[in-house]
Amino acid sequence: MKSTQSRGVRDMTVGSPAKHIIAFSLPLMVGSLFQLLYNTVDSWVVGQYVGDGALAAVGVGFPVVTMLASLFIGLSNGGTVVIAQFFGAGNTEQVRDAIDTMYTAFTAAAVPLTLAAVLLVKPLLFLLRVEASAYEEAWVYLTVLCAGLIGSIGYNLNAGILGGLGNSRTTLLFLAAASGMNIALDLILVIVCGLGVLGVALGTIISQAFSWLFGIFYINRRYPEFSIQPFRRGFDRKLFREIMRIGLPAGVQMSLVAVGIMSVVSKAGSYSKEFTAGYNVGNKLDQLAFLPVQSLTSAITAFVGQNIGAKRLDRVREGVRVTLLAAALWSLLIMALLMPFAPALVGCFSDTPAVIHAGTVYLRSIMPFYVLFAVFFCLNGAMRGAGDSVFPMVNVVFSLILLRVPAVYLLANVFGPDYMYYGFGAGWVLGFALSSGWYLSGRWLRRGSIADGA
């Protein structure tokens, strides 16, 4: 165990919980920033050099790709928890078996998933009601992204493995290199070669594939005891069931959230391409603002997983308190920054007044509720680290799907599009109430450690 710690693997069962969580989340936050830059840079380049139709087309791509990749991202999340609990219990052999099992499942399903994703592009664009002026560009962008989906999924598997081991620094290295490549390719393929949305799509999938393959090379060289061999075909059915028990609800949850986002995109698309573009820009800024909370959530998932494995429930609760405090403070700070400066920030992507107005409306509608969403999100991550992934999924379904989406449509139809985003706040209030109640009940701890039965 100590030999791996010296090479970047973090044992979070000893030492200050606050120090571990912050040290884990900071590089993950920077890495997530680089990952988000894939789509944000695409939006900026097409907004500046192609047009608002292309900007709307690129914005459609994010929730669609998230939905299609979500089951494998769920596999990654389940792997993080399983690996963290075995690592916390000191069972490195089971860590090795879990990694083999994850990659065997990935290699078996990667090609069928890619083909299914490409075939679903046109039906999804129809359901999203993409405006005719943006349809062709949206089809090109999504088709290319879906054809290269394997790179994004592979990166997330690597990140899930390292997250379970307490290593968030390595993923930063992967994404820094890939983001630099993506920015360079976007500028070359769009500005120099004039390929438009095809150029930004190609730049994205090439850089994502690079981050995945570079990740395999780096992990195998740095951590040979946990090396990744995609075609080794090691598969443990019991471990796979545990990974899927935790990861499948998480994947379904992410898929449903993406469907919910696409429902909002569809409603925004029913107005104009400028309103859609404004929503997409506002959503990108929202994602950037939320990165620290996402990173803290990943940190508390790994932290809880390791300490559940080590049977340190006192550290689990202390870690959750530290995480919630940090997430709440960040949310209040970002609200104070984004509320007044929203028009200027949206204007960095487009100088069209209607786009700036729509993006500003989005940000100023959701920001007052941001701290509730942050607490709700982090509590769900802590529960998932303890092996309880069903309640977070049910919570998300009720708050972000069954309440938020109808609320968005109702407010838009009754009061107009400028009021629709208050539906987000309604969903977040319910999610906060449900997650807080379940956490305080203590029932999320009842499963104990997976490692006890190994």
Side-chain angles (χ1 to χ4, degrees):
M1 192 76 69
K2 291 181 180 179
S3 63
T4 56
Q5 274 186 262
S6 66
R7 288 177 285 133
V9 176
R10 179 178 293 274
D11 182 357
M12 294 189 281
T13 62
V14 294
S16 166
K19 182 178 178 181
H20 281 307
I21 289 167
I22 298 301
F24 186 97
S25 62
L26 283 177
L28 195 62
M29 180 179 67
V30 178
S32 297
L33 175 62
F34 283 127
Q35 188 174 33
L36 186 57
L37 279 176
Y38 286 147
N39 198 253
T40 303
V41 169
D42 291 352
S43 297
W44 180 83
V45 169
V46 298
Q48 294 295 317
Y49 296 99
V50 184
D52 290 334
L55 180 59
V58 169
V60 168
F62 180 78
V64 173
V65 172
T66 300
M67 183 195 71
L68 295 172
S70 59
L71 291 180
F72 274 99
I73 297 175
L75 175 67
S76 171
N77 290 341
T80 294
V81 175
V82 170
I83 289 170
Q85 292 196 13
F86 281 126
F87 185 76
N91 194 336
T92 54
E93 185 62 33
Q94 289 289 327
V95 171
R96 164 75 273 154
D97 292 342
I99 293 171
D100 284 347
T101 298
M102 290 168 66
Y103 255 91
T104 297
F106 168 52
T107 55
V111 173
L113 177 69
T114 299
L115 291 174
V118 171
L119 292 174
L120 283 171
V121 169
K122 284 190 176 182
L124 288 171
L125 289 176
F126 173 77
L127 292 174
L128 289 172
R129 295 191 287 185
V130 176
E131 193 172 334
S133 60
Y135 182 88
E136 183 176 351
E137 289 169 312
W139 178 81
V140 169
Y141 185 72
L142 269 178
T143 300
V144 174
L145 285 189
C146 289
L149 204 55
I150 187 172
S152 175
I153 295 172
Y155 159 76
N156 278 288
L157 283 183
N158 292 347
I161 291 165
L162 288 168
L165 298 173
N167 184 341
S168 60
R169 289 180 294 172
T170 303
T171 55
L172 172 60
L173 176 63
F174 304 160
L175 288 170
S179 293
M181 176 182 292
N182 184 60
I183 292 169
L185 287 172
D186 275 359
L187 296 174
I188 292 169
L189 295 174
V190 175
I191 300 173
V192 178
C193 301
L195 295 181
V197 293
L198 174 61
V200 294
L202 288 172
T204 297
I205 66 168
I206 291 170
S207 55
Q208 287 176 340
F210 173 79
S211 67
W212 168 45
L213 297 174
F214 179 52
I216 292 176
F217 170 79
Y218 186 93
I219 293 171
N220 288 355
R221 186 176 180 86
R222 190 73 183 267
Y223 309 117
E225 69 272 41
F226 299 128
S227 64
I228 297 169
Q229 298 181 34
F231 301 103
R232 178 157 43 197
R233 296 296 177 187
F235 190 80
D236 186 310
R237 291 185 179 181
K238 182 179 178 181
L239 279 179
F240 183 70
R241 285 195 297 269
E242 288 294 341
I243 291 170
M244 293 307 293
R245 180 184 65 78
I246 299 168
L248 186 59
V252 171
Q253 170 188 318
M254 293 180 67
S255 180
L256 291 174
V257 169
V259 170
I261 293 173
M262 286 191 292
S263 298
V264 176
V265 172
S266 178
K267 188 61 177 175
S270 69
Y271 294 108
S272 68
K273 69 180 181 182
E274 289 81 12
F275 192 85
T276 304
Y279 163 75
N280 291 332
V281 172
N283 186 249
K284 294 294 176 298
L285 293 170
D286 171 21
Q287 291 170 41
L288 284 168
F290 203 66
L291 282 180
V293 178
Q294 288 181 310
S295 301
L296 286 167
T297 300
S298 297
I300 194 59
T301 298
F303 181 88
V304 169
Q306 287 196 15
N307 283 281
I308 287 288
K311 296 180 172 59
R312 295 294 309 274
L313 298 186
D314 56 325
R315 291 176 60 80
V316 167
R317 294 190 181 279
E318 185 178 354
V320 172
R321 286 194 295 270
V322 168
T323 302
L324 294 183
L325 177 62
L329 290 175
W330 170 257
S331 299
L332 293 173
L333 174 62
I334 203 64
M335 180 180 68
L337 291 173
L338 280 184
M339 291 286 281
F341 297 111
L345 292 169
V346 176
C348 293
F349 292 82
S350 174
D351 57 5
T352 304
V355 174
I356 295 173
H357 172 77
T360 300
V361 164
Y362 172 84
L363 291 171
R364 288 179 174 172
S365 299
I366 68 169
M367 278 297 139
F369 306 94
Y370 226 54
V371 66
L372 299 180
F373 187 39
V375 171
F376 156 41
F377 204 82
C378 289
L379 285 176
N380 279 357
M383 295 170 196
R384 196 171 291 114
D388 182 0
S389 60
V390 174
F391 175 80
M393 180 189 70
V394 172
N395 189 2
V396 165
V397 169
F398 275 98
S399 59
L400 301 189
I401 307 298
L402 297 181
L403 177 58
R404 181 177 68 172
V405 174
V408 165
Y409 276 69
L410 177 64
L411 290 169
N413 292 336
V414 174
F415 299 104
D418 284 0
Y419 294 89
M420 62 188 278
Y421 302 122
Y422 287 108
F424 283 54
W428 295 349
V429 168
L430 177 62
F432 169 80
L434 292 175
S435 59
S436 297
W438 190 254
Y439 175 78
L440 292 173
S441 76
R443 297 180 68 184
W444 57 284
L445 289 169
R446 60 188 174 182
R447 284 194 174 272
S449 174
I450 298 168
D452 290 344

